[in-house]
Amino acid sequence: METSTINASLCAKMFLAGAKNLEANKEWINELNVFPVPDGDTGTNMTMTIMSAAREVAELSSPDMPALAKAISSGSLRGARGNSGVILSQLLRGFTKTIRDYSEIDTEVLAAAMQKAVETAYKAVMKPKEGTILTVAKGAADKAAQLLETDMGMADFLGEIIEHAEYVLSQTPEMLPVLKEAGVVDSGGQGLVQVLKGAYDAFLGKEIDYSIADSQEERPARRETVPARQQEADIKFGYCTEFIIMLEQELPEQKLADFKSFLESIGDSIVLVADEDIVKVHVHTNDPGKAISRALTYGQLSRMKIDNMREEHHEKLIKDAEKLAAKQKEEEKKAPRKPVGFISVSVGDGIGEIFRGLGADYLIEGGQTMNPSTDDMVKAIEKVNADNIFILPNNKNIILAANQAQYLVKDKKVFVIPTKTIPQGITAIISYNAERTPEENEETLKEEIKKVKTGQITYAVRDTHIDDKDIHEGDLMGIGDKGILTVGRDLSEVTRETIDQMTDEDTELISIYYGEDVSPEDAERFGGSIMEEYPDCDVEIYAGGQPIYYYVVSVE
């Protein structure tokens, strides 16, 4: 008998199968990237995003639709990396907002959920582009709405939607000239199609491995720097208690503050992260039951975990955690809460030192090769002891994740300055004026970064044709703010040509940051030649230490 509806159990399997199919095809999707640069890549970012949700779904036992919806929405929201990952998380968030109200999904509910997914994702992107993952999602949703007029079973309904999504994907090169020039379809759209195909296979009952392994790529091993043993008497609160509250309704800020005060009365090392659907709770206490009982007044609990910290095999881990907590508390005692703090995404020791010297309170390691997740941003915001937080993403593929973190944080005001490059981030932090309000500074900083031109010199990882240039694997490329400026084989020549195309009669300052693969001697020698070539400009040379990019150049 043909299945006409999708219950929570089947929906969970379809989601896991979609995630696994995306993971299986991520390298192929990475190869579709238009720019041939060594970066985080679309397939990797989308996979890490959906796998964050898949792990939460895999831990649910006999889920109902509301619990499943929350696991998908929350997991993808916090794990979102890169623009494609954030858009995927918003599609899933919109989709689950509809299905959570139903015990089973029929074609009408499915069509409505797909429409809600598209609406939510489009709202998250300031300037949506057609010919992208958004276009593929919209095409699939429109097809679903159209098919409602027919008398069609669920299997055929899903099959027709996926067939149309593939057609829309095939048309993306006609919508974005850069795709047509490179001879590829949109990589984000292809990723979405792979998710849909995997989900369809599960619906049809195909044999699929639904197991979700822990991702070491996303969860790096802890580095232990403390003695291995600890006396049991040193542990004031014996149980590390963690759980997720699946809220029946969104908690007002006052109730959230009251809950935090209650936890402080029974323990320490408290972490509360909340959004409209869930609250993640972590507390060290001697009475986990009290924390659980209070939490149950707000909603159902999921992913409960209680560890006896006095057990021998936990001693090393707990010592490290307590030492870190004590250090943070000591720092908080020494320094009162500041009115303003800065978080900057940085890559390379030299670049990091520059940001610290300019007043950055917290650095998130990341950039082109590893886009930080929304959760990384949220954790960084929690660690900065300030009322107002300015985030400098310093990469166009990180801005949406920062915006998403801004939405999740309730107890601090967060300002995301849309810096697309390291030089823009440096200009932004230099331009901050403590005598102005945060809102006035936000406006000023957004204007100042527009005055910065950035060039980045790196190597090609694949053959392609883009910006009217034939590029071969191993070529050196000078990439400007709006595309590839020059291609060649000699590093000095490519960098010099890039600078030449960036400068004009109004240029006053040329800043050059050399990477980890350039020696100080070569950088100074090259900088000296630029000084001679541009005698009317100030030329500054800095050790950036960044990987991937031999030189990062800014022109102002």
Side-chain angles (χ1 to χ4, degrees):
M1 183 176 177
E2 183 180 333
T3 304
S4 59
T5 60
I6 300 169
N7 60 22
S9 176
L10 178 55
C11 188
K13 287 182 177 180
M14 291 174 68
F15 178 75
L16 293 176
K20 296 275 282 192
N21 197 50
L22 175 60
E23 182 182 42
N25 289 283
K26 70 178 180 181
E27 292 303 332
W28 171 50
I29 295 166
N30 285 341
E31 291 297 319
L32 296 176
N33 276 18
V34 171
F35 268 63
V37 296
D39 62 11
D41 287 317
T42 301
T44 300
N45 284 335
M46 291 183 74
T47 296
M48 294 179 79
T49 298
I50 203 167
M51 281 301 173
S52 175
R55 280 190 291 275
E56 295 206 13
V57 171
E59 291 183 12
L60 296 175
S61 57
S62 304
D64 57 16
M65 202 68 81
L68 175 63
K70 285 183 179 181
I72 293 173
S73 177
S74 174
S76 62
L77 192 70
R78 296 181 182 283
R81 296 175 187 268
N83 291 344
S84 55
V86 171
I87 293 171
L88 177 60
S89 76
Q90 290 297 319
L91 287 168
L92 293 170
R93 181 167 174 254
F95 186 86
T96 56
K97 275 186 175 181
T98 297
I99 67 167
R100 67 186 179 188
D101 295 329
Y102 298 87
S103 59
E104 293 192 338
I105 302 170
D106 59 15
T107 54
E108 188 172 340
V109 172
L110 182 62
M114 292 179 71
Q115 192 59 50
K116 186 67 175 177
V118 170
E119 290 172 7
T120 304
Y122 267 86
K123 285 178 183 177
V125 181
M126 189 171 293
K127 295 180 180 178
K129 268 187 183 178
E130 296 308 321
T132 66
I133 181 175
L134 291 170
T135 308
V136 176
K138 186 175 184 299
D142 290 345
K143 185 65 174 180
Q146 177 189 336
L147 291 173
L148 285 178
E149 300 175 7
T150 65
D151 184 17
M152 186 177 288
M154 180 64 81
D156 291 337
F157 190 79
L158 292 170
E160 290 280 340
I161 289 171
I162 293 171
E163 184 177 332
H164 187 70
E166 289 189 285
Y167 168 74
V168 175
L169 176 65
S170 73
Q171 297 304 299
T172 54
E174 303 303 320
M175 305 175 206
L176 274 180
V178 69
L179 295 176
K180 191 167 188 176
E181 187 179 8
V184 296
V185 296
D186 178 67
S187 54
Q190 184 65 268
L192 179 60
V193 167
Q194 295 311 308
V195 173
L196 296 176
K197 282 185 168 183
Y200 187 46
D201 285 344
F203 178 84
L204 296 176
K206 293 186 180 179
E207 189 173 338
I208 295 170
D209 175 12
Y210 294 104
S211 61
I212 302 294
D214 247 7
S215 171
Q216 295 305 315
E217 188 177 14
E218 232 181 335
R219 300 180 181 182
R222 295 173 60 95
R223 288 187 299 168
E224 300 294 349
T225 58
V226 296
R229 295 188 58 82
Q230 172 190 20
Q231 294 300 315
E232 186 173 307
D234 292 340
I235 302 174
K236 183 177 180 181
F237 296 104
Y239 296 94
C240 177
T241 306
E242 297 178 340
F243 51 82
I244 291 176
I245 308 173
M246 299 180 293
L247 297 174
E248 294 173 355
Q249 55 186 8
E250 186 173 0
L251 272 186
E253 287 189 17
Q254 186 55 52
K255 278 195 175 182
L256 194 63
D258 291 344
F259 183 40
K260 185 174 183 181
S261 297
F262 171 75
L263 293 177
E264 288 171 344
S265 72
I266 64 169
D268 67 4
S269 298
I270 294 153
V271 177
L272 278 185
V273 180
D275 65 17
E276 62 183 15
D277 294 322
I278 69 163
V279 179
K280 282 192 174 183
V281 180
H282 172 279
V283 60
H284 292 176
T285 179
N286 285 327
D287 195 340
K290 287 183 178 179
I292 290 168
S293 295
R294 182 65 172 263
L296 283 169
T297 65
Y298 304 125
Q300 299 180 50
L301 303 189
S302 173
R303 296 186 67 184
M304 297 176 64
K305 180 172 173 283
I306 300 173
D307 286 332
N308 184 340
M309 296 192 296
R310 295 186 175 95
E311 289 180 3
E312 183 73 18
H313 70 276
H314 281 304
E315 290 179 357
K316 193 176 179 184
L317 178 63
I318 299 310
K319 180 74 173 181
D320 183 55
E322 290 188 341
K323 187 175 180 180
L324 180 60
K327 182 180 178 182
Q328 290 173 338
K329 285 182 180 179
E330 190 62 32
E331 288 174 354
E332 288 176 5
K333 287 178 184 176
K334 290 179 182 178
R337 192 172 173 105
K338 304 194 307 179
V340 174
F342 273 86
I343 294 171
S344 176
V345 177
S346 178
V347 58
D349 292 340
I351 297 295
E353 286 303 314
I354 290 171
F355 275 115
R356 287 190 189 94
L358 293 172
D361 298 273
Y362 192 92
L363 300 181
I364 300 176
E365 286 296 321
Q368 195 69 7
T369 55
M370 175 54 74
N371 301 147
S373 69
T374 296
D375 200 40
D376 291 332
M377 297 282 183
V378 171
K379 288 175 180 175
I381 294 168
E382 289 170 356
K383 290 178 181 177
V384 176
N385 190 26
D387 295 316
N388 300 281
I389 309 289
F390 284 82
I391 298 181
L392 309 175
N394 302 334
N395 186 297
K396 65 181 181 181
N397 212 31
I398 300 175
I399 294 172
L400 284 182
N403 289 339
Q404 201 151 265
Q406 180 184 41
Y407 155 79
L408 288 173
V409 173
K410 307 293 184 183
D411 63 337
K412 299 174 183 177
K413 194 158 187 180
V414 179
F415 301 86
V416 177
I417 307 302
T419 52
K420 297 179 180 179
T421 63
I422 292 292
Q424 282 191 346
I426 291 171
T427 293
I429 200 168
I430 288 174
S431 302
Y432 176 78
N433 186 338
E435 295 182 1
R436 296 175 179 157
T437 66
E439 290 77 13
E440 289 171 338
N441 270 294
E442 178 187 30
E443 185 176 340
T444 299
L445 269 52
K446 285 182 176 179
E447 287 302 314
E448 288 300 315
I449 64 175
K450 294 177 182 177
K451 301 175 184 177
V452 182
K453 299 177 185 176
T454 303
Q456 302 178 91
I457 316 302
T458 188
Y459 57 92
V461 295
R462 64 180 72 92
D463 294 348
T464 190
H465 182 84
I466 187 172
D467 294 336
D468 294 323
K469 295 176 177 64
D470 284 316
I471 299 170
H472 302 284
E473 182 178 347
D475 282 350
L476 298 173
M477 303 176 295
I479 304 173
D481 294 316
K482 296 182 179 178
I484 296 176
L485 300 177
T486 184
V487 178
R489 285 281 176 173
D490 183 271
L491 178 59
S492 294
E493 288 181 9
V494 169
T495 309
R496 182 175 283 103
E497 175 64 20
T498 300
I499 293 172
D500 185 57
Q501 293 197 43
M502 292 168 61
T503 54
D504 55 33
E505 64 274 7
D506 297 323
T507 299
E508 298 178 352
L509 173 65
I510 300 172
S511 301
I512 302 171
Y513 306 86
Y514 62 91
E516 64 180 7
D517 293 321
V518 178
S519 69
E521 296 76 18
D522 286 345
E524 290 295 337
R525 190 179 305 112
F526 176 74
S529 69
I530 296 300
M531 290 178 189
E532 292 178 4
E533 194 168 337
Y534 297 90
D536 296 330
C537 296
D538 291 328
V539 179
E540 299 176 348
I541 311 294
Y542 300 97
Q546 69 275 5
I548 307 300
Y549 292 96
Y550 300 106
Y551 288 107
V552 174
V553 180
S554 72
V555 169
E556 300 177 59

